[in-house]
Amino acid sequence: MSTRIVSGTAHRTLAEAVASALDTELAACGVERFPDGELRPVVERVRGDDVYVVQPTGPPVGEHLVELLLLLDACRRGGARTSTAVVPYFGYARQDRRGRAGEAVGSRVVADTLASAGADRLVVVDPHTVALEAMCAMPVEMLTSVPVLADALAEETPDTAVVVAPDLGAVKLAEHHAGRLGLPVAVVRKRRLSGETVQAGEVAGEVVDRPAVVVDDMISTGGTIEAAVDVLLAHGALADVTVAATHGLLVGTAHDRLERLPIRRLFVTDTLPGCRERVPRVRVCSVAPLLADAIGRLRDDEPLDALMVRG
């Protein structure tokens, strides 16, 4: 029995870094594509092994999700002893409840489908909601990138700064960053009007004449960050803003929105590929050591408490 790392096509660079940190090589795997777009993954020599399939489900979300499902099924049919879905960015996590009649609960559907495809365990990094664990029939290990990002932030953040949650959902995350950085916390109250439009109002906390460090779990179109920074500036914060987020989707209007803001530096992790090409002034911090540490602990039946999201 051995530990095998299988990579999908969504982020092979990250999978290679994880395998290297574990002093192993990626398992032989190929993904064929039919002329009509169908995928046919083939995974070799995993019989009796504990397999970890590394595949974030970022854009194009549907294609990467289907590929992950097929890879898990291929590992199961190939005789893998266990199969763990390592999904650094878990698409559909934002769809954790119905906002109105007729909507689906996307995160529950995806979780059930992963289990049906053969996943015995799910490993994610900073999911949009900790309720994800309750939705999954399989065990879920929710890792956090806060130490990774906070260590990088500490190198460039003045002790006069304030850590800002751009909405109520990011308060716990902001508190964790602030605790590691030894800084106070402020909270922006926002209201989402649509998938791209956000309205921010008041700020709870002292931000006058302070540089702000805005933290969130993800940046999609940049609407939440834009609204938060505008409110911070209106309330007297310095035009010296740092932004840190685990997942840099940076889709749609994100580049233009972030470009016009007084952002000195943007910190993201490499849970998704290509951030350096999409926005300026970005520093990418790798979660490969975090994922490798988690896989190593799972392999050795050691607790993951020190790596996990705190409630």
Side-chain angles (χ1 to χ4, degrees), residues 39 55 57-69 92:
L39 302 172
Q55 174 87 335
T57 51
V61 181
E63 179 159 321
H64 288 153
L65 175 58
V66 170
E67 182 183 337
L68 173 59
L69 296 172
Y92 288 95

Side-chain angles (χ1 to χ4, degrees), residues 71-126:
L71 284 168
L72 289 167
D73 187 69
C75 291
R76 176 175 60 183
R77 295 176 190 277
R81 191 176 80 95
T82 64
S83 296
T84 297
V86 181
V87 189
Y89 169 72
F90 187 92
Y92 288 95
R94 285 173 288 184
Q95 297 186 37
D96 61 330
R97 63 177 65 89
R98 294 189 303 158
R100 61 185 181 213
E103 288 186 342
V105 181
S107 52
R108 177 60 186 267
V109 172
V110 172
D112 288 347
T113 308
L114 288 171
S116 297
D120 299 296
R121 184 182 300 269
L122 173 64
V123 175
V124 297
V125 180
D126 289 327

Side-chain angles (χ1 to χ4, degrees), residues 29-52:
C29 172
V31 179
E32 301 176 12
R33 185 182 294 273
F34 289 99
D36 63 357
E38 281 188 22
L39 302 172
R40 184 171 68 178
V42 178
V43 181
E44 300 180 12
R45 296 185 298 278
V46 294
R47 183 169 299 279
D49 294 334
D50 291 321
V51 178
Y52 295 82

Side-chain angles (χ1 to χ4, degrees), residues 13-284:
T13 300
L14 178 60
E16 289 173 341
V18 171
S20 177
L22 290 166
D23 196 25
T24 187
E25 296 182 353
L26 293 178
C29 172
V31 179
E32 301 176 12
R33 185 182 294 273
F34 289 99
D36 63 357
E38 281 188 22
L39 302 172
R40 184 171 68 178
V42 178
V43 181
E44 300 180 12
R45 296 185 298 278
V46 294
R47 183 169 299 279
D49 294 334
D50 291 321
V51 178
Y52 295 82
V53 181
V54 180
Q55 174 87 335
T57 51
V61 181
E63 179 159 321
H64 288 153
L65 175 58
V66 170
E67 182 183 337
L68 173 59
L69 296 172
L70 294 176
L71 284 168
L72 289 167
D73 187 69
C75 291
R76 176 175 60 183
R77 295 176 190 277
R81 191 176 80 95
T82 64
S83 296
T84 297
V86 181
V87 189
Y89 169 72
F90 187 92
Y92 288 95
R94 285 173 288 184
Q95 297 186 37
D96 61 330
R97 63 177 65 89
R98 294 189 303 158
R100 61 185 181 213
E103 288 186 342
V105 181
S107 52
R108 177 60 186 267
V109 172
V110 172
D112 288 347
T113 308
L114 288 171
S116 297
D120 299 296
R121 184 182 300 269
L122 173 64
V123 175
V124 297
V125 180
D126 289 327
H128 189 68
T129 173
V130 294
L132 178 64
E133 183 173 18
M135 297 180 189
C136 295
M138 74 193 93
V140 181
E141 311 297 349
M142 297 188 294
L143 312 181
T144 181
S145 69
V146 168
V148 176
L149 288 170
D151 286 350
L153 284 167
E155 300 173 10
E156 302 186 29
T157 303
D159 56 13
T160 57
V162 57
V163 177
V164 178
D167 56 29
L168 294 176
V171 170
K172 288 290 186 183
L173 189 63
E175 290 175 344
H176 295 165
H177 275 287
R180 294 187 69 92
L181 295 170
L183 297 175
V185 175
V187 181
V188 174
R189 302 182 186 278
K190 84 166 187 185
R191 184 165 64 96
R192 180 167 293 280
L193 304 178
S194 71
E196 292 192 13
T197 306
V198 173
Q199 183 181 74
E202 296 301 314
V203 177
E206 183 55 57
V207 300
V208 176
D209 294 331
R210 288 178 176 269
V213 180
V214 182
V215 299
D216 209 347
D217 64 306
M218 70 173 71
I219 304 175
S220 181
T221 65
T224 294
I225 300 300
E226 179 184 45
V229 172
D230 286 345
V231 170
L232 290 169
L233 297 177
H235 283 75
L238 296 179
D240 179 9
V241 179
T242 299
V243 176
T246 304
H247 311 295
L249 282 89
L250 304 169
V251 296
T253 58
H255 180 278
D256 293 340
R257 280 174 154 161
L258 298 178
E259 180 67 18
R260 79 163 190 84
L261 298 173
I263 295 175
R264 178 168 54 86
R265 177 76 88 169
L266 169 63
F267 292 82
V268 296
T269 75
D270 59 351
T271 58
L272 292 161
C275 289
R276 286 188 178 91
E277 292 76 31
R278 292 198 291 274
V279 294
R281 302 183 299 279
V282 65
R283 176 173 171 180
V284 179

